[in-house]
Amino acid sequence: MPSAVRFGVNYTPSQGWFHHWLDFDLDAVRADLDSIAALGLDHVRVFPLWPYFQPDRALIRPRAVEQLVQLVDAAGERGLDVNVDGLQGHLSSFDFLPAWTRTWHRRNLFTDPEVLDGQAAYLRTLAAALDGRPNFLGMTLGNEVNQFSAGPHPDPDRATADQIDAWLERMLAACEQGAPGKMHLHAEYDATWYQDDMPFTPDQAARHGALTAVHSWVFNGTAQRHGRTSVPTEHHAAYLIELSKAWAADPHRPVWLQEVGAPAPLIPAEHAAAFTEATVANALDCPDLWGITWWCSHDVSRELADFPELEYSLGLLTNDRRPKDLARSLARAAREHTYAPAPRATALTVPADPAARSRCAPGGDVFEAFFRLTADGARPTTVLDTRAADQDHLAARGITDVVTPDQVLPTPPGGTRS
């Protein structure tokens, strides 16, 4: 039987971007939310900026928390549910970290006991302030915080996978203490799935929290390597959804496509609507999808400086709240879709060893084999190489055929693949 999939957007305020928290204007927020609700979407993901809300480890600003509550209530009045990201963290190429963690007070974000105490108190406070709001979905720990833990960040807070595991458990517990029973989760950028030395691992992504979140950006080498209308580019989001399932203990763990967008110039403005339509349709062919949340709601104003050029044009709506063609594509999908995907019966093996994750990245044999199967109409999913013979696991997921990358990719003339 068809079931519901959520359609939403990551809320980027049209006035002041996320700096709007410094000059909070509830009327402007309401106008933004009106333009989002008019598209027929059902939820937003919102971003308090951590240093604005907790400028001192012992000070979580009551007025800032009150403004967050006002935003959530305004969204509810427009039929929009809200997920709240806590530790911002990193947004649109900028880092936002409190002064009490940097320079003269430099302390590790993932291992320092005092920093952890401050983070937990902050997340618990935000969750508790929103507990009881019927449109409050739950907390995401932060936006792509894994980028702080390894290269290519210029000043990473190094940690081991075990230390990250402990950090995730503690921060999710703090959210649960503040708002019991809500949908609390964590979310990282795709280095979790692709980068061999990333201490945030696929296993953590697929096991901690209420569901698995994936962020799909084709500027990661996919569109550069394959082109804007290629199978890999138009199916990249579906690939990450299905890749995440290899590590999940629950054979039907929900997956949230929490970020996906049409980045120029790799996806030109005139092709953004077609890319949106294809990406959404392919994601909807993935079983156990919780929802699709587009990045982002409104363009960044040209009055703001120093953003990467692509950030100024990612919105569904212009800076003056006019919908673009890709907004109409997403709205049409939200209005007309039927979600009843068949099981994906062919599984491609992926390495369980996190030190071999680069095989899943653009150019890797897992990546290339997945899209070879996709191009041939196989609708593949993935399974860990250590589970490939587990018949109970395969049966629970509806998998009837398991193949390896070697079986899918042709051997080059005169030799074997390296």
Side-chain angles (χ1 to χ4, degrees):
M1 292 291 292
S3 60
V5 169
R6 309 297 300 268
F7 281 82
V9 68
N10 293 275
Y11 173 42
T12 47
S14 64
Q15 295 184 14
W17 192 65
F18 295 111
H19 304 302
H20 83 135
W21 295 111
L22 295 172
D23 299 290
F24 188 75
D25 182 341
L26 186 57
D27 287 338
V29 168
R30 286 169 172 154
D32 286 346
L33 295 173
D34 283 339
S35 65
I36 292 169
L39 297 176
L41 305 180
D42 62 38
H43 71 275
V44 292
R45 178 176 169 229
V46 303
F47 302 86
L49 290 189
W50 183 18
Y52 298 173
F53 276 63
Q54 193 182 25
D56 182 274
R57 186 163 58 86
L59 172 63
I60 301 168
R61 294 177 50 243
R63 180 61 178 145
V65 176
E66 179 184 340
Q67 289 167 340
L68 174 62
V69 173
Q70 290 175 339
L71 188 157
V72 171
D73 285 346
E77 291 165 2
R78 288 149 180 83
L80 296 168
D81 290 342
V82 181
N83 172 265
V84 176
D85 265 47
L87 299 168
Q88 268 35 266
H90 179 83
L91 290 164
S92 300
S93 86
F94 291 98
D95 289 349
F96 295 94
L97 296 175
W100 47 273
T101 68
R102 302 291 94 181
T103 59
W104 302 103
H105 297 267
R106 184 71 165 85
R107 290 178 281 189
N108 190 290
L109 295 173
F110 306 110
T111 63
D112 183 89
E114 291 186 336
V115 172
L116 268 60
D117 287 347
Q119 292 171 334
Y122 173 61
L123 291 168
R124 185 167 53 248
T125 297
L126 294 190
L130 297 167
D131 187 36
R133 257 73 183 177
N135 68 317
F136 172 50
L137 294 169
M139 299 290 298
T140 299
L141 297 186
N143 183 57
E144 300 185 351
V145 290
N146 61 322
Q147 65 95 25
F148 290 111
S149 69
H153 193 278
D155 183 25
D157 291 61
R158 300 286 184 183
T160 67
D162 286 343
Q163 288 169 329
I164 296 299
D165 213 54
W167 182 84
L168 289 168
E169 288 185 359
R170 180 169 182 190
M171 296 306 135
L172 287 166
C175 296
E176 180 65 19
Q177 289 163 6
K182 292 291 186 178
M183 187 182 76
H184 304 305
L185 67 147
H186 64 105
E188 286 77 48
Y189 85 105
D190 62 17
T192 287
W193 312 101
Y194 293 162
Q195 186 171 317
D196 291 341
D197 66 347
M198 171 59 62
F200 283 78
T201 67
D203 184 74
Q204 294 162 353
R207 292 174 185 253
H208 285 298
L211 43 66
T212 301
V214 296
H215 291 189
S216 172
W217 289 102
V218 297
F219 55 53
N220 66 353
T222 300
Q224 294 94 325
R225 180 182 292 266
H226 295 282
R228 64 176 173 83
T229 59
S230 65
V231 169
T233 297
E234 293 187 342
H235 288 257
H236 183 260
Y239 170 61
L240 281 178
I241 293 167
E242 293 303 322
L243 182 63
S244 77
K245 296 176 183 179
W247 284 270
D250 176 356
H252 296 290
R253 177 174 167 89
V255 183
W256 181 3
L257 180 54
Q258 193 183 48
E259 279 188 28
V260 61
L266 293 168
I267 308 298
E270 62 272 19
H271 186 69
F275 171 82
T276 302
E277 184 175 351
T279 295
V280 169
N282 294 326
L284 290 172
D285 193 38
C286 297
D288 304 308
L289 178 66
W290 181 86
I292 299 171
T293 310
W294 203 259
W295 187 280
C296 55
S297 65
H298 299 81
D299 285 345
V300 177
S301 171
R302 289 283 176 180
E303 296 177 355
L304 297 176
D306 300 324
F307 284 83
E309 181 61 26
L310 71 90
E311 298 289 346
Y312 291 102
S313 60
L314 285 171
L316 293 174
L317 303 118
T318 63
N319 189 245
D320 57 358
R321 307 188 181 103
R322 289 181 291 109
K324 303 178 189 177
D325 287 343
L326 78 164
R328 297 183 183 95
S329 291
L330 188 68
R332 186 165 53 251
R335 182 175 63 250
E336 298 177 358
H337 81 281
T338 298
Y339 183 66
R344 290 187 169 226
T346 299
L348 180 70
T349 61
V350 303
D353 181 2
R357 276 174 281 183
S358 56
R359 291 178 57 195
C360 300
D365 64 329
V366 171
F367 184 98
E368 300 300 332
F370 186 95
F371 291 113
R372 178 64 60 85
L373 289 167
T374 300
D376 291 342
R379 299 180 63 252
T381 187
T382 62
V383 65
L384 294 184
D385 51 12
T386 54
R387 285 182 179 166
D390 184 341
Q391 295 302 316
D392 290 340
H393 176 77
L394 299 179
R397 295 180 56 194
I399 295 169
T400 58
D401 187 28
V402 177
V403 295
T404 67
D406 283 343
Q407 292 172 311
V408 176
L409 297 175
T411 301
T416 58
R417 290 187 307 277
S418 58

